[in-house]
Amino acid sequence: MESKELLKLQNGSDIRGVACEGIAGESVNLTPLASNIIAQSFAAWLSKKCGKPVQSLTVGIGRDSRITGEALSNAAIAGLSSCGVKVVDCGMATTPAMFMSIVFPETKFDGSIMITASHLPFNRNGLKFFDKDGGLEHEDITAILEGAVGLSEKSGKVSAQKFDLISLYANHLVKTIKEGVNSGDKPLEGLKIVVDAGNGAGGFFVSKILDQLGAETKGSQFLEPDGTFPNHIPNPENAKAMEAIQSAVLKNKADLGLIFDTDVDRMSAVLPDGTEVNRDAIIALVAAILAPEYPNSTIITDSVTSDRLTRFLEKDLGLKHHCFKRGYKNVINECKRLNKEGIVSPLAMETSGHGALKDNFYLDDGAFLAVKIVIALANAKAQGKTLASLIEKLDPLVEAQELRYKINCEDFGSYGDKVLEEFKARAEKAGMIMPKSYEGVRISFQSEDKKGWLLLRKSLHDPVMPLNVEGERVGDAKKILQVAQELLAGFDKLSK
């Protein structure tokens, strides 16, 4: 494959592409050939990183429920085996479990690969890579793709040991819950918890964790892996997906609902009355759980969190809110940086549901976050309290809107920078309040006429400028949006 073809597969710190036909206008570019040569290049990259001969490496490989997962996994196994790597086939797995395969003493792999495209449509797939330091960085993926240029597909004799990683991972989470609740072998007895796995890889959370610990899980749904995703998109941010888990909670009178994305590195929750706990609220809930153990600590979030979250974290929990950049690797790396500098930061979390704890290897792990919430639920019930009480002081969301302006020119990055520069200059000239922003331009409105905020930024990868607007009272969002549109007047290469 040519360099241009391969480099198009890079999506930040992951590899993603179209892996099968099925959607008009989308041509296949992530083939078994690509998976094979990329795996070969990863072997060479990992050998250099570890300082070990390729033949001394052990690499684990897993996949989610996507229909192209097995073919891409087999191709990657063949590519690794052709280099002399010892390959362990973990079968159906999750992204967090594949990182933990490097940590668990029973496995201690040198590196691992997860075949997944997270929440994307059924025709997409991808590869995520891990080494002892966690998920690879953007520049690492570029180096691996460049290293695959010119390589040819290799198969030969394929050797891969089978290993039930998901059971080992589940046992780790079971142990965590038992330690957190400290109430015998069935610490979840008396609790009704329903799970929506969206036909991804998260169904194990019911059979291997909740059921084992005594929870009643009747009403859990879409637990069987099915890469056609027949019920809803496996994405906690998707409206239909959230409606599905809300309905399951209400119908079964559950104490808690949990919903995962396809590869279980993201999650959201639902309270007994059907209230969704996602975006700002899921960050608030996890922060409230951690606050007693980490007083005065710093919570890292992406840039689109709201002013109401800042108020809750700082005024109600006594924490600090560091509103950083979009991108789960960005918030995780910032969390690592602060802790290294001696600034305690127990949590890095995006509104998308990606959440990483300092005490869990800075790993964005939806199942581990769910475990922390389940522990909090059990402990709250034992004290005669509710899970909802942890975030009862979080102001309700009144109005929120996101517009995505297309940048209609080839050099969209430079044009986006020009828009942001002028947008900021116009806001400054008008005397508007602009809090410190690590990406884009954020404006805060706290007058009697309008209360809320807006954020204009560039997309991480696409020729798009998202505009997020939030109003604190009915009608405020419309007024703030009008201000934004006035500040954007005259940019002829932007369109809705």
Side-chain angles (χ1 to χ4, degrees):
M1 295 180 66
E2 294 182 1
S3 175
K4 188 176 181 180
E5 292 178 276
L6 282 165
L7 290 174
K8 278 185 178 179
L9 295 173
Q10 180 159 6
N11 184 277
S13 55
D14 301 331
I15 287 171
R16 288 182 181 174
V18 178
C20 68
E21 302 288 350
I23 295 182
E26 297 192 3
S27 301
V28 174
N29 62 351
L30 181 58
T31 61
L33 165 61
S35 182
N36 183 283
I37 62 175
I38 289 169
Q40 291 180 52
S41 182
F42 175 60
W45 180 92
L46 187 63
S47 172
K48 184 177 180 181
K49 173 78 181 285
C50 294
K52 296 171 63 173
V54 173
Q55 293 79 6
S56 299
L57 296 175
T58 300
V59 173
I61 188 163
R63 55 186 169 82
D64 65 20
S65 61
R66 292 175 178 277
I67 58 177
T68 55
E70 188 171 4
L72 292 176
S73 178
N74 288 339
I77 289 170
L80 292 167
S81 298
S82 72
C83 301
V85 174
K86 178 184 177 183
V87 186
V88 180
D89 183 359
C90 299
M92 188 71 61
T94 70
T95 293
M98 290 315 302
F99 168 74
M100 292 301 293
S101 71
I102 298 172
V103 174
F104 290 140
E106 297 89 340
T107 47
K108 277 286 184 182
F109 301 152
D110 296 295
S112 62
I113 303 174
M114 178 67 181
I115 309 294
T116 181
S118 189
H119 62 281
L120 293 179
F122 76 94
N123 68 325
R124 304 295 183 95
N125 216 325
L127 293 86
K128 292 185 177 182
F129 301 90
F130 297 96
D131 66 7
K132 63 182 179 62
D133 296 321
L136 271 56
E137 301 293 339
H138 181 280
E139 57 269 24
D140 299 325
I141 300 301
T142 302
I144 290 168
L145 289 172
E146 289 175 343
V149 175
L151 295 180
S152 57
E153 185 174 16
K154 293 182 180 178
S155 53
K157 185 177 179 181
V158 175
S159 174
Q161 172 190 342
K162 302 280 187 179
F163 185 77
D164 182 11
L165 177 65
I166 206 66
S167 291
L168 177 63
Y169 175 67
N171 290 340
H172 160 67
L173 297 182
V174 164
K175 181 181 178 183
T176 302
I177 292 175
K178 286 183 176 180
E179 291 174 349
V181 180
N182 193 23
S183 181
D185 287 336
K186 301 290 183 181
L188 302 184
E189 277 188 334
L191 291 176
K192 294 182 180 180
I193 303 174
V194 296
V195 172
D196 185 323
N199 300 112
F204 79 96
F205 200 86
V206 173
S207 60
K208 293 182 180 292
I209 299 174
L210 297 178
D211 288 346
Q212 301 300 316
L213 295 175
E216 181 182 329
T217 58
K218 181 183 178 182
S220 292
Q221 57 195 18
F222 316 140
L223 306 181
E224 290 299 316
D226 184 343
T228 64
F229 309 129
N231 295 291
H232 60 69
I233 296 171
N235 179 5
E237 290 189 286
N238 177 263
K240 186 178 178 182
M242 183 52 69
E243 288 168 5
I245 184 62
Q246 287 175 306
S247 175
V249 167
L250 294 172
K251 180 180 178 181
N252 295 281
K253 297 181 171 60
D255 298 299
L256 176 67
L258 298 170
I259 183 168
F260 299 110
D261 72 344
T262 323
D263 60 327
V264 200
D265 60 359
R266 293 193 295 137
M267 61 79 62
S268 285
V270 173
L271 298 176
D273 64 355
T275 299
E276 59 188 77
V277 185
N278 59 4
R279 299 187 66 79
D280 288 338
I282 192 67
I283 299 172
L285 178 60
V286 179
I289 291 169
L290 297 173
E293 188 177 351
Y294 296 96
N296 305 311
S297 60
T298 299
I299 305 299
I300 316 292
T301 73
D302 61 353
S303 61
V304 297
T305 50
S306 72
D307 291 350
R308 69 191 182 108
L309 178 64
T310 302
R311 289 194 295 271
F312 176 73
L313 294 177
E314 298 188 346
K315 294 182 180 179
D316 296 307
L317 297 184
L319 305 175
K320 300 178 183 68
H321 183 196
H322 182 22
C323 189
F324 195 54
K325 299 177 182 178
R326 289 283 281 177
Y328 69 95
K329 286 294 291 182
N330 287 330
V331 295
I332 289 172
N333 287 342
E334 184 70 356
C335 189
K336 288 180 178 179
R337 184 186 71 81
L338 291 187
N339 282 296
K340 189 175 181 180
E341 292 180 1
I343 300 171
V344 178
S345 175
L347 175 67
M349 194 160 186
E350 276 199 304
T351 49
S352 65
H354 277 290
L357 275 66
K358 175 177 76 73
D359 291 341
N360 189 42
F361 306 97
Y362 299 101
L363 175 64
D364 52 319
D365 185 342
F368 195 85
L369 288 180
V371 160
K372 298 293 284 188
I373 293 170
V374 167
I375 291 170
L377 170 66
N379 289 335
K381 185 173 184 180
Q383 297 166 16
K385 299 178 181 179
T386 64
L387 191 64
S389 67
L390 291 174
I391 53 173
E392 62 186 358
K393 292 183 179 179
L394 175 68
D395 294 333
L397 175 64
V398 178
E399 293 182 330
Q401 190 174 356
E402 180 178 273
L403 278 71
R404 297 177 68 83
Y405 290 89
K406 295 179 183 178
I407 304 177
N408 302 301
C409 63
E410 189 171 338
D411 190 8
F412 58 86
S414 296
Y415 189 79
D417 290 335
K418 178 183 175 182
V419 171
L420 290 174
E421 183 180 352
E422 181 61 24
F423 187 85
K424 182 178 181 180
R426 292 175 181 180
E428 286 176 339
K429 186 176 181 180
M432 296 180 184
I433 300 170
M434 287 183 286
K436 184 174 182 179
S437 180
Y438 290 87
E439 68 174 342
V441 178
R442 190 180 183 105
I443 303 175
S444 180
F445 300 89
Q446 289 300 322
S447 68
E448 283 305 312
D449 179 56
K450 47 187 171 290
K451 293 181 182 292
W453 58 273
L454 68 79
L455 175 70
L456 179 70
R457 61 184 177 86
K458 294 196 304 180
S459 170
L460 293 176
H461 310 295
D462 302 317
V464 171
M465 298 196 75
L467 171 68
N468 292 89
V469 172
E470 188 169 311
E472 294 184 13
R473 304 167 305 189
V474 174
D476 280 340
K478 183 178 180 180
K479 293 177 181 178
I480 294 171
L481 181 58
Q482 184 176 350
V483 172
Q485 290 172 337
E486 290 170 359
L487 293 174
L488 284 170
F491 291 107
D492 59 351
K493 292 182 173 57
L494 288 185
S495 64
K496 294 181 186 178

